[in-house]
Amino acid sequence: MKTIIYTLFLILASGIAGCGSPAVSNDSAASNGVMTLPEDGQGEEVYTLDGEWEFYWQRFVSPSEVFGSGTDALHVQTPSAWSDIQTKGGTLPDKGYGTYHLEMELPENLADDTAGIYIPEIATAYTLWVDQKVLAENGKPGVNRSSMEPEHHPQTAYFKPESDAIDLVLQVSEYYQRKSGWWDSFYIGSAEDIQSMRDYNISREVFLVVSLLVMGLYHFGIFVLRPSDRAPLFFGGLCLAVAVRTLLLGEVLFLRFFAGVPWEWMLKFEYWSSCLGIVCAMLFIYTQYKNDMNILIRNSFLTIFSLMALGILVTPALIFTEGMLYLQSAAVLGLVYINIVLWTALVRRRKGALAHTAATFILLVFVVNDTLHYNHVINTGETVSIGVFVYLFAQSFILASRFTSALTQSRQLSDRLEKANQTLEDKVERRTRKLSETNQELEDANHRLERMYRARQELMSNISHELGTPMTSIQGYIKGMLDGVVDRGDPTYLKLVYNKTLLLQKITDDLRELAKLESGGITYTFEERNMRDYVETIYFIYKEEIERKGISFTWEDHLPPERNGVVSIDPIRMEQVLSNLLLNARKFTPAGGTVTLVVQENESRDSIIIAVRDDGPGIEEEELPNVFKRFFRGGANVVKTEEGVGLGLAISAEIVRSHGGEVGVESRKGEGSLFYFLLPVSGIKSINHTEE
Ligand code: ADP
């Protein structure tokens, strides 16, 4: 994926470098101040004006005089600085003034049309005439420093040739900086081609500047958001420095945005941008490969460039441009050192070093390309700015991939943490559940224990209270016999005593059972039973016994036909309940009365109601709340012959409650009673008390 992106980017970069600009021809060169452009041009072509121009050193020759004063003219190779021009007396100095002259034979297509001329940066002021008319100016040339005004930036000019032969006269002066003359080519072509060449240069530079600014600002933004990582800060600084340099060089786009800035300050900015660029590059590389860079060497470079930046600030252009050589040498040394660091990082297999070196290699390819171009081996135009851009773009890509991998790592970590948390939560939840289950069990056991304890207490107090009466009777009878008040062995008394012991037996049995029921010491065996069938079976079991007393006994099934009323019950315990209710009804209903067993649903259809109705004496209203309490034996309606213990209903209520149901009674004195209980249709399946 990364390789594809790199390749695409290289294609884009080479596109920016090469196409869109008209073809440049430098087949013909000027010689002895005369240049003849070939006729066989293909149309869309511009020509360089490189070659030998006539040059009058330390003379401003006017266009009208130029033909008559040819004797003392030098023939100098262009483009070149004055210090490279050889004369009999050695090379020329960089400070001075002079006049260039070139006669040109134009091809037909140019002579007939409006022609354009691209004038490169010329140090440091000039006036250009074509056929004795001023065509372009930059600053004001003069014979000494005070009479000239420096300015140098490339420009284009257009003119209509009067014939196919034209005459260029160029007065130049330089007293303000190190370099003199010009070092890029002049170009001539049709106005259209020259314009499109310039447009192309401008758009290429705008593209580079905007891209670099965006990259720079983006990385500054990242730094602001995450100041602990300083790599984006230095990288952003590097992008910004290159952007400023691009603005100040080439077509000097800077002037379009900040028109009134003095020439000298623009030069200062240009030099500063170089210093800043190297400082940022050095620091950026340091953030990437801390262990591969010598901190002492790094600091030495930083000090040198800081001092240079200060020097540029406080000295005039004349001085600080002289220092250009030192700046360049220091920059080259700095770059060499950066490369050493990179190779070390590569050898030590540092992360990202390979990509970094590859990007540097690409930059090198562009540098070699430009060297070949300037030596006229190939003709591709200046591309190093593209190389720098490719390099920076690759760096920004490397940085971005570093961020992304950090992000991915943190995402993976947080995923793992989340998973671990989840597992932990699950574990905690499981443990908590288990703990609360154990707690619940403990609580239940406590409750059971407490209930058992209370049941025992109650049993003890009931026993002492309830057993008291029959025991006293038995004691009385036996004492009577012992005292001779009653005949010993009198069967009537003995039977009375015997009956009392039976009652005692029943009381203790019932009490024990109730205590067990209440304390949960009884095991229920639940099964699903159809209540219609179950109640019918009970009806037939007790039918004979009840009817024997002359009572009419019936059963009513009010369950809807489609419903069976399936309930979970312990059939034996449930029979105990029903038997108690039915036998009570039998006991309290006089002969000729009616007892009815009823089965039906409640209104919400979630419970089955089983009821026993009789038309016996009924129960006093105020006694109704006590009917199901232990040892309730009623008041007026107690059938004395069939003395009860008063525990049957309490036992029944307990059994029904253990089935998740509830008991109730409706009665009016003299109008019979209705004893009933409800059982939930869903049933109770999990009650399982252990027998003590
Ligand atoms: P016992 O074993 O003495 O019958 P129960 O707990 O079964 O005790 O009944 C308690 C009391 O409830 C009875 O003594 C009686 O006063 C009253 N009782 C129970 N069933 C009926 C009924 N069908 N009609 C009137 N009173 C009743």
Side-chain angles (χ1 to χ4, degrees):
M1 183 64 196
K2 281 182 189 168
T3 327
I4 297 171
I5 291 173
Y6 273 132
T7 318
L8 280 177
F9 187 74
L10 279 180
I11 293 168
L12 174 73
S14 50
I16 299 166
C19 44
S21 172
V24 174
S25 161
N26 49 11
D27 296 344
S28 54
S31 168
N32 284 325
V34 179
M35 180 167 201
T36 308
L37 294 177
E39 269 304 336
D40 57 342
Q42 297 299 309
E44 280 181 25
E45 210 168 22
V46 294
Y47 307 90
T48 64
L49 301 188
D50 299 350
E52 267 179 358
W53 291 40
E54 262 181 18
F55 184 45
Y56 300 92
W57 175 240
Q58 296 297 83
R59 276 180 66 191
F60 277 152
V61 182
S62 72
S64 52
E65 304 167 341
V66 85
F67 282 105
S69 51
T71 46
D72 59 343
L74 297 169
H75 288 108
V76 297
Q77 196 66 36
T78 65
S80 76
W82 294 343
S83 54
D84 294 335
I85 297 173
Q86 288 289 340
T87 64
K88 284 173 202 140
T91 55
L92 295 179
D94 267 319
K95 308 282 163 286
Y97 62 98
T99 310
Y100 288 89
H101 176 225
L102 182 70
E103 282 177 53
M104 289 184 68
E105 284 273 332
L106 296 181
E108 210 175 309
N109 59 331
L110 273 187
D112 294 348
D113 205 356
T114 306
I117 187 161
Y118 178 90
I119 310 154
E121 217 176 300
I122 299 176
T124 331
Y126 67 85
T127 307
L128 173 70
W129 286 264
V130 171
D131 289 340
Q132 312 207 5
K133 284 188 204 115
V134 173
L135 184 65
E137 286 172 302
N138 212 197
K140 199 179 133 216
V143 293
N144 53 35
R145 185 175 161 90
S146 54
S147 65
M148 74 166 283
E149 280 168 25
E151 191 71 56
H152 68 103
H153 53 83
Q155 56 179 326
T156 46
Y158 303 94
F159 62 98
K160 180 95 184 94
E162 283 164 7
S163 66
D164 57 358
I166 58 163
D167 208 34
L168 296 186
V169 174
L170 177 71
Q171 291 183 356
V172 182
S173 77
E174 202 315 281
Y175 286 101
Y176 273 83
Q177 55 148 26
R178 183 179 60 88
K179 260 171 133 185
S180 55
W182 66 93
W183 42 93
D184 288 329
S185 299
F186 270 84
Y187 293 94
I188 194 162
S190 71
E192 224 171 69
D193 288 343
I194 290 294
Q195 184 58 43
S196 78
M197 183 175 138
R198 182 146 165 97
D199 286 350
Y200 165 75
N201 286 350
I202 289 177
S203 43
R204 188 179 72 166
E205 282 173 19
V206 166
F207 169 79
L208 289 177
V209 167
V210 170
S211 311
L212 289 167
L213 281 179
V214 168
M215 274 201 281
L217 292 178
Y218 168 75
H219 285 94
F220 283 145
I222 290 187
F223 171 71
V224 169
L225 294 176
R226 210 163 147 258
S228 59
D229 182 4
R230 286 191 296 169
L233 170 71
F234 300 134
F235 186 72
L238 180 57
C239 291
L240 204 71
V242 179
V244 169
R245 225 181 127 68
T246 315
L247 270 178
L248 289 164
L249 293 176
E251 299 298 330
V252 198
L253 294 174
F254 187 85
L255 276 182
R256 292 171 190 252
F257 300 110
F258 310 100
V261 179
W263 165 85
E264 189 153 343
W265 276 98
M266 281 176 46
L267 212 59
K268 280 183 198 278
F269 289 151
E270 185 192 321
Y271 278 58
W272 272 335
S273 65
S274 304
C275 292
L276 178 73
I278 305 252
V279 165
C280 287
M282 191 70 84
L283 288 170
F284 171 61
I285 298 289
Y286 178 70
T287 58
Q288 304 295 292
Y289 310 108
K290 275 194 180 66
N291 298 327
D292 306 312
M293 190 180 259
N294 183 309
I295 194 102
L296 262 176
I297 301 183
R298 186 203 78 169
N299 288 347
S300 314
F301 275 115
L302 294 187
T303 318
I304 290 171
F305 286 108
S306 307
L307 287 176
M308 281 183 176
L310 188 72
I312 293 163
L313 177 71
V314 295
T315 58
L318 194 60
I319 297 181
F320 74 75
T321 55
E322 284 297 338
M324 176 67 178
L325 201 66
Y326 303 105
L327 179 65
Q328 269 178 349
S329 317
V332 168
L333 280 179
L335 290 176
V336 167
Y337 183 62
I338 284 176
N339 273 293
I340 293 173
V341 172
L342 274 181
W343 280 107
T344 318
L346 188 67
V347 170
R348 291 179 181 168
R349 292 170 184 270
R350 304 282 191 221
K351 206 174 167 201
L354 184 66
H356 205 138
T357 319
T360 318
F361 179 73
I362 293 169
L363 178 59
L364 200 73
V365 170
F366 281 95
V367 172
V368 170
N369 177 83
D370 279 19
T371 317
L372 294 177
H373 166 72
Y374 284 122
N375 289 304
H376 303 293
V377 178
I378 52 172
N379 186 15
T380 52
E382 192 239 50
T383 57
V384 77
S385 50
I386 311 283
V388 171
F389 174 69
V390 174
Y391 174 79
L392 290 180
F393 184 83
Q395 286 310 322
S396 128
F397 192 76
I398 294 166
L399 266 186
S401 69
R402 231 184 57 190
F403 289 141
T404 321
S405 77
L407 269 181
T408 318
Q409 225 172 357
S410 91
R411 162 81 57 83
Q412 281 169 349
L413 268 178
S414 75
D415 276 359
R416 242 184 285 161
L417 210 68
E418 204 180 297
K419 246 182 227 160
N421 265 349
Q422 193 54 49
T423 330
L424 205 71
E425 260 170 39
D426 286 352
K427 227 181 225 172
V428 169
E429 206 182 295
R430 268 204 311 276
R431 297 255 159 99
T432 318
R433 219 177 20 238
K434 225 174 187 175
L435 209 70
S436 69
E437 273 169 19
T438 319
N439 266 350
Q440 190 57 47
E441 276 168 24
L442 217 65
E443 218 167 282
D444 286 352
N446 261 345
H447 273 303
R448 265 208 313 276
L449 272 174
E450 209 180 313
R451 277 211 316 267
M452 272 160 62
Y453 176 74
R454 261 192 280 116
R456 275 213 180 140
Q457 291 275 90
E458 230 165 298
L459 181 67
M460 294 312 290
S461 84
N462 288 160
I463 287 173
S464 54
H465 181 257
E466 294 300 325
L467 298 192
T469 324
M471 289 287 264
T472 316
S473 307
I474 292 171
Q475 273 173 1
Y477 293 138
I478 293 177
K479 182 103 179 24
M481 281 186 202
L482 288 174
D483 293 349
V485 180
V486 178
D487 286 344
R488 288 187 187 187
D490 183 336
T492 322
Y493 280 93
L494 283 178
K495 195 158 183 237
L496 278 174
V497 171
Y498 176 67
N499 281 343
K500 287 293 172 193
T501 58
L502 284 183
L503 182 63
L504 277 177
Q505 174 81 43
K506 174 126 176 67
I507 290 173
T508 47
D509 283 356
D510 281 1
L511 273 175
R512 252 193 68 198
E513 181 162 17
L514 189 62
K516 263 192 191 174
L517 283 168
E518 283 177 350
S519 65
I522 292 280
T523 306
Y524 287 86
T525 312
F526 287 99
E527 39 188 88
E528 302 276 308
R529 279 299 183 93
N530 171 333
M531 289 317 271
R532 175 181 282 131
D533 297 348
Y534 181 75
V535 170
E536 190 179 11
T537 312
I538 297 289
Y539 167 74
F540 284 113
I541 293 174
Y542 291 90
K543 185 174 164 50
E544 201 274 329
E545 191 178 351
I546 294 171
E547 286 180 346
R548 204 187 316 142
K549 194 181 165 186
I551 297 169
S552 140
F553 182 38
T554 53
W555 91 282
E556 290 172 10
D557 172 12
H558 295 299
L559 284 175
E562 76 281 1
R563 294 171 72 85
N564 304 325
V566 174
V567 169
S568 177
I569 54 164
D570 179 333
I572 294 175
R573 292 283 167 197
M574 201 41 71
E575 187 182 337
Q576 194 180 344
V577 176
L578 279 166
S579 147
N580 189 35
L581 296 185
L582 287 170
L583 295 181
N584 273 351
R586 178 185 179 277
K587 182 158 71 176
F588 292 106
T589 305
T594 311
V595 171
T596 315
L597 183 58
V598 184
V599 61
Q600 68 181 74
E601 273 184 337
N602 67 344
E603 266 177 19
S604 52
R605 307 185 108 189
D606 54 4
S607 293
I608 299 290
I609 302 173
I610 297 163
V612 175
R613 195 170 55 230
D614 65 54
D615 50 7
I619 301 167
E620 295 280 357
E621 201 183 336
E622 64 271 17
E623 286 183 338
L624 283 175
N626 301 322
V627 172
F628 289 97
K629 289 187 180 159
R630 53 175 68 190
F631 298 113
F632 172 77
R633 293 196 193 84
N637 58 336
V638 179
V639 181
K640 295 292 171 199
T641 46
E642 294 184 55
E643 195 175 356
V645 177
L647 288 171
L649 286 177
I651 290 173
S652 302
E654 198 53 45
I655 292 173
V656 170
R657 269 196 286 274
S658 297
H659 279 73
E662 53 186 282
V663 291
V665 58
E666 288 171 10
S667 181
R668 270 208 190 153
K669 189 75 189 149
E671 290 181 17
S673 315
L674 175 80
F675 282 84
Y676 63 89
F677 58 92
L678 283 90
L679 294 174
V681 169
S682 52
I684 299 169
K685 296 177 177 89
S686 60
I687 292 184
N688 231 346
H689 303 303
T690 326
E691 188 101 30
E692 277 171 74

